[in-house]
Amino acid sequence: KHDGGLVMVLPDDVTFADGGPQKAIELFAALEAQHRDRGVCLNLIRDSREQNWTGFKSVSYNRHILRTGWMDGCFVANQQFLSAFHRIPPQNPERWIADPTRGSGVWEFVSRNNFAAGHIFFQVKKSLCIHGDHESVMHPDERRSNPIKSK
């Protein structure tokens, strides 16, 4: 447990858009100031998904940000939000039998767990990071068919 600070998590296949790091910190600081009593997470990439694992449909929060009910692996979060990370269970390998293109399940678990705990999720309307156009290590065939395109 930490007493403060934020954490930025970036996968190795993204790069920042111009001004991205500073804009991410500014947007997150404003969100955290408005929600001091809760865990807060800001997704730094916007893609085509309107909703995900929790079933919460994205809605406009302000001119720069959407309110969502999920997060993926490119984000800024406060310590309250991160408190769930020490409890991520191993994923059952059977999850890939029915659907070999499924992801690792980590961000799905964190999203569901933190959503149920009342933490709040946001996403930028304009991506602050760019997902590279490259071969996926985890799902090369799936990524060729369904590329992640940041908006």
Side-chain angles (χ1 to χ4, degrees):
K1 180 172 166 102
H2 300 282
D3 292 329
L6 62 89
V7 171
M8 187 177 292
V9 174
L10 303 171
D12 63 359
D13 57 356
V14 301
T15 56
F16 274 113
D18 287 341
Q22 185 61 34
K23 186 72 170 175
I25 291 167
E26 289 169 8
L27 291 172
F28 184 80
L31 289 170
E32 190 175 39
Q34 295 167 17
H35 304 283
R36 289 203 180 276
D37 59 333
R38 299 181 64 189
V40 177
C41 176
L42 174 64
N43 287 296
L44 302 178
I45 291 181
R46 174 141 187 238
D47 58 22
S48 61
R49 296 175 286 184
E50 297 277 329
Q51 69 184 50
N52 213 339
W53 304 294
T54 64
F56 185 98
K57 188 167 169 74
S58 298
V59 295
S60 183
Y61 183 76
N62 64 31
R63 67 183 204 157
H64 298 290
I65 296 173
L66 298 166
R67 172 100 186 253
T68 66
W70 58 277
M71 50 85 72
D72 218 337
C74 186
F75 61 91
V76 180
N78 63 8
Q79 295 298 323
Q80 288 168 286
F81 187 90
L82 295 172
S83 66
F85 279 55
H86 70 280
R87 296 184 302 261
I88 298 172
Q91 297 299 305
N92 185 337
E94 291 183 13
R95 75 183 268 117
W96 293 284
I97 292 172
D99 184 0
T101 66
R102 286 186 81 180
S104 69
V106 170
W107 304 124
E108 177 182 357
F109 173 82
V110 172
S111 294
R112 289 180 189 272
N113 189 58
N114 284 14
F115 187 80
H119 299 304
I120 49 179
F121 303 78
F122 298 95
Q123 182 179 40
V124 293
K125 287 184 176 178
K126 183 174 187 290
S127 291
L128 299 178
C129 291
I130 300 160
H131 192 273
D133 182 19
H134 57 278
E135 185 88 5
S136 169
V137 174
M138 183 180 269
H139 295 301
D141 295 335
E142 172 68 10
R143 198 56 61 231
R144 274 191 291 277
S145 300
N146 299 298
I148 295 175
K149 295 185 180 178
S150 49
K151 294 182 177 184

